[in-house]
Amino acid sequence: MNIYYMRVSTIIWIFLLSSGYITQAQKLTLSLEKTIAMATDSLLDAFRQRNLYLASYWQYRTYKAERLPSLSLNVTPAQYYRYITQRYNYDENIDVYRTQQNYLASGGLSVNQNFDVLGGSFYINSDLEYLRNFGDNNYHQYTSVPFRVGYYQDLLGYNPYKWQKKIEPVKFEKAKKELIYNMEQISEAATNYFFTLAMAQVEYDMAVENMASSDTLYRIGQERQKIASITQADLLTLKLDAVNARNTLKNKEIELKRAMFSLASYLSFDKNTDIRLDLPGRPRNMEIFVDAALIYARENHPSYLGMQQEILEAERDVDKTRKESMFNATFQASVGFNQVSGKLREAYMDLLRQDIVSVSVSIPLVDWGVRRGKYNMAKNNLAIARISARQEELSIEEDVIMTVSDFNIQQDLIISAEEALELAVMAYAETRQRFIIGKEDINSLTLSLQRQQEAQRNYISSLQNYWLSYYKIRRLTLHDFDTGFSLSTLFDYKNGL
């Protein structure tokens, strides 16, 4: 009977597990590299940054497409008019109103090409129109322009194409490097979450070890107190250490769960995911020179491109307002052929030459200083943009210099922290053994344990500071000093740019 109930209970337990009524925490082991890869691949912020880049990418593609010839077809298949119009009556020498009815259809092909250097436009087009009148004068006509080539140009005016050619590539390059820059920010944040959990796990493991060791030492102390090997005060101290160790373990368990939940939430994992970390070992020695880092920062940092864009746009506004404050002249010329006939075939025969040349001038006479005011405002904005760019440049340079200096120091600190940890572990093991055999007192044991735990914390902190400095340098310079490649170059290679 008992066997029967055990079998039924086992079947029910398996059913609940398979149905999801009883959930178990998913166990996962993460390295620093894997954590960063998952963060940059799946975070909502990373998704948003990629879409912002794609918007700039298609804007740049649109700009490039606008530099190519465009072909357009314009068709008006049917247009009917019925209206009263004023006409002159030659017989009676008076103006009269008459009813007018007509039908119009037209179509044409046009090819346009912008000329960036001068800011003008070339065009080639061909047109055909059909007109039919109804009523007393019932007739129809075809008029054609088989071929016409022309050019339109502002002689002294603002040339938008020249400035687009300067600004648009800078805007696209800035958008691309902003994406890489923001991805490196995500790498920094992921590193911070990783080592926060690493520190919490180390603290928890130390608390577990400390509780087990405190219980063992307390039992040993009880036995030694029986033979008067230690005093009652020492025994009470050992008991207090055991009680404190249990309380510390509970607090460290709470901190561990909080840090684990933070990393799981950041990586969009289930909140019950049990994460264990594979700490990176000692990194290889790598010295970064400040001069090289500054060069890479000036080449790749998106803020430098942003400053360049702002200055170019300010210079464009100065150029535009200056030319708009003066008189403007436009030139248009076209050469082609045309004909009109009552038959479609004859509208393309015996073509007549069509030449059009026009020059127009626009001269502002009185505007009460509006144009001059806009020009002065544009000049002031340009001066502000240049000053702001210089201030931003100095701030970035200072950040790069300090971060590189910190990184180079952190490498030595890791070596020292690793050596200190090894010594502290050996010293504690020796002191603990000597306490067990009665050759060390409780104060020496407590001090040795504290030194070991502090060495472990220092080692984790040194690793954290090293990797945070490393990824911050990558973010500031967009350069991977480990491989020697520019992150922008790697991005172009991966995306086929």
Side-chain angles (χ1 to χ4, degrees):
M1 193 69 171
N2 293 334
I3 296 177
Y4 171 76
Y5 281 118
M6 289 177 61
R7 289 178 178 175
V8 172
S9 298
T10 303
I11 293 173
I12 293 175
W13 181 258
I14 293 174
F15 171 77
L16 290 174
L17 284 175
S18 62
S19 301
Y21 289 101
I22 299 178
T23 59
Q24 293 181 337
Q26 178 186 359
K27 294 184 178 180
L28 184 65
T29 301
L30 291 178
S31 63
L32 176 60
E33 183 179 0
K34 186 176 180 181
T35 301
I36 291 174
M38 296 179 75
T40 55
D41 185 60
S42 60
L43 286 186
L44 290 177
D45 188 39
F47 178 77
R48 184 178 73 89
Q49 298 298 336
R50 290 191 182 94
N51 279 274
L52 289 174
Y53 163 73
L54 287 176
S56 298
Y57 171 78
W58 287 112
Q59 181 180 355
Y60 182 69
R61 286 287 301 270
T62 301
Y63 154 75
K64 297 290 287 186
E66 289 175 348
R67 308 277 72 76
L68 301 175
S70 63
L71 175 64
S72 58
L73 172 64
N74 300 308
V75 178
T76 304
Q79 185 172 305
Y80 174 75
Y81 289 96
R82 180 185 178 91
Y83 57 98
I84 297 175
T85 184
Q86 183 179 358
R87 298 290 184 182
Y88 178 72
N89 189 325
Y90 290 95
D91 296 333
E92 300 181 9
N93 192 26
I94 58 173
D95 289 329
V96 297
Y97 287 101
R98 294 182 180 177
T99 301
Q100 183 79 26
Q101 298 181 65
N102 59 47
Y103 170 84
L104 178 68
S106 63
L109 282 173
S110 178
V111 178
N112 293 276
Q113 173 65 63
N114 295 327
F115 188 43
D116 293 350
V117 177
L118 299 178
S121 297
F122 288 102
Y123 59 89
I124 301 174
N125 55 30
S126 176
D127 297 315
L128 175 65
E129 290 187 6
Y130 170 74
L131 176 65
R132 183 178 183 87
N133 283 316
F134 302 96
D136 296 336
N137 298 321
N138 191 352
Y139 70 97
H140 66 272
Q141 280 185 319
Y142 294 92
T143 178
S144 70
V145 180
F147 176 81
R148 178 169 55 211
V149 58
Y151 180 74
Y152 175 84
Q153 170 74 57
D154 278 337
L155 296 179
L156 302 175
Y158 165 69
N159 181 1
Y161 306 132
K162 180 186 72 173
W163 289 105
Q164 286 179 357
K165 190 175 182 180
K166 292 181 178 180
I167 294 173
E168 291 300 327
V170 175
K171 288 176 61 176
F172 173 66
E173 190 68 17
K174 185 191 73 170
K176 180 181 68 174
K177 291 182 176 178
E178 277 182 341
L179 171 64
I180 304 172
Y181 181 90
N182 291 327
M183 288 301 176
E184 292 303 312
Q185 275 190 322
I186 293 175
S187 298
E188 282 186 69
T191 301
N192 205 26
Y193 278 106
F194 179 91
F195 280 103
T196 299
L197 177 57
M199 182 65 77
Q201 287 185 345
V202 168
E203 294 277 3
Y204 176 77
D205 294 340
M206 288 192 300
V208 171
E209 181 183 356
N210 191 25
M211 187 187 72
S213 178
S214 298
D215 289 339
T216 301
L217 293 176
Y218 177 61
R219 288 194 298 270
I220 294 174
Q222 286 178 317
E223 297 298 325
R224 291 177 59 186
Q225 202 270 339
K226 292 178 181 179
I227 60 175
S229 178
I230 63 172
T231 64
Q232 181 67 21
D234 288 341
L235 181 62
L236 291 175
T237 301
L238 290 174
K239 184 177 181 179
L240 177 62
D241 289 343
V243 173
N244 288 336
R246 284 192 292 273
N247 293 334
T248 301
L249 177 61
K250 292 178 182 178
N251 291 328
K252 296 304 179 183
E253 183 179 5
I254 294 173
E255 293 177 6
L256 175 62
K257 289 181 179 179
R258 185 179 292 112
M260 193 175 299
F261 179 79
S262 296
L263 179 59
S265 298
Y266 185 72
L267 297 177
S268 302
F269 292 160
D270 185 84
K271 63 181 180 179
N272 295 319
T273 304
D274 182 13
I275 303 175
R276 299 299 296 180
L277 299 182
D278 183 12
L279 289 177
R282 181 201 297 178
R284 69 179 183 87
N285 291 330
M286 178 173 55
E287 184 177 5
I288 299 177
F289 297 99
V290 172
D291 292 340
L294 288 174
I295 291 173
Y296 291 129
R298 294 188 187 102
E299 291 177 353
N300 299 319
H301 198 291
S303 292
Y304 279 93
L305 292 171
M307 291 182 283
Q308 182 181 351
Q309 178 186 337
E310 290 180 2
I311 292 174
L312 284 173
E313 289 175 344
E315 290 176 344
R316 175 200 61 190
D317 294 340
V318 170
D319 179 60
K320 181 179 180 181
T321 54
R322 181 178 63 84
K323 291 180 178 177
E324 288 178 349
S325 65
M326 303 183 297
F327 74 93
N328 187 25
T330 60
F331 168 79
Q332 182 175 4
S334 66
V335 177
F337 301 91
N338 64 347
Q339 184 57 275
V340 60
S341 175
K343 296 182 179 179
L344 177 62
R345 182 174 60 86
E346 294 178 355
Y348 287 90
M349 298 174 61
D350 300 326
L351 298 175
L352 302 176
R353 180 79 173 267
Q354 183 192 67
D355 299 325
I356 300 175
V357 178
S358 71
V359 177
S360 61
V361 178
S362 173
I363 303 175
L365 298 178
V366 178
D367 65 356
W368 310 108
V370 173
R371 291 179 175 86
R372 175 58 58 181
K374 291 181 179 179
Y375 174 62
N376 290 331
M377 288 174 57
K379 286 201 303 181
N380 291 336
N381 291 334
L382 175 59
I384 292 172
R386 287 172 175 167
I387 294 173
S388 300
R390 183 54 184 162
Q391 291 175 337
E392 181 72 14
E393 183 180 356
L394 292 174
S395 177
I396 295 173
E397 289 178 356
E398 180 182 357
D399 201 5
V400 170
I401 293 171
M402 296 303 298
T403 305
V404 171
S405 177
D406 290 344
F407 174 79
N408 292 329
I409 293 174
Q410 290 301 328
Q411 294 186 96
D412 296 332
L413 291 179
I414 287 179
I415 297 174
S416 298
E418 190 176 38
E419 182 181 3
L421 178 59
E422 293 175 356
L423 293 174
V425 170
M426 291 188 295
Y428 174 69
E430 180 67 21
T431 304
R432 185 174 183 275
Q433 186 62 32
R434 289 175 62 82
F435 175 81
I436 292 174
I437 62 177
K439 293 185 177 182
E440 290 288 354
D441 58 16
I442 186 63
N443 293 329
S444 299
L445 180 66
T446 302
L447 181 60
S448 180
L449 176 61
Q450 291 175 350
R451 287 173 176 171
Q452 177 193 344
Q453 293 177 344
E454 188 63 25
Q456 288 180 310
R457 295 187 187 96
N458 289 338
Y459 179 68
I460 298 298
S461 296
S462 297
L463 280 177
Q464 181 179 9
N465 293 333
Y466 171 87
W467 287 109
L468 285 175
S469 297
Y470 175 72
Y471 283 107
K472 186 175 181 181
I473 292 174
R474 280 171 55 107
R475 173 171 60 85
L476 293 174
T477 63
L478 299 190
H479 187 82
D480 187 352
F481 289 90
D482 189 27
T483 61
F485 287 104
S486 167
L487 299 182
S488 179
T489 302
L490 294 175
F491 180 86
D492 291 344
Y493 176 78
K494 291 179 181 179
N495 294 275
L497 296 177

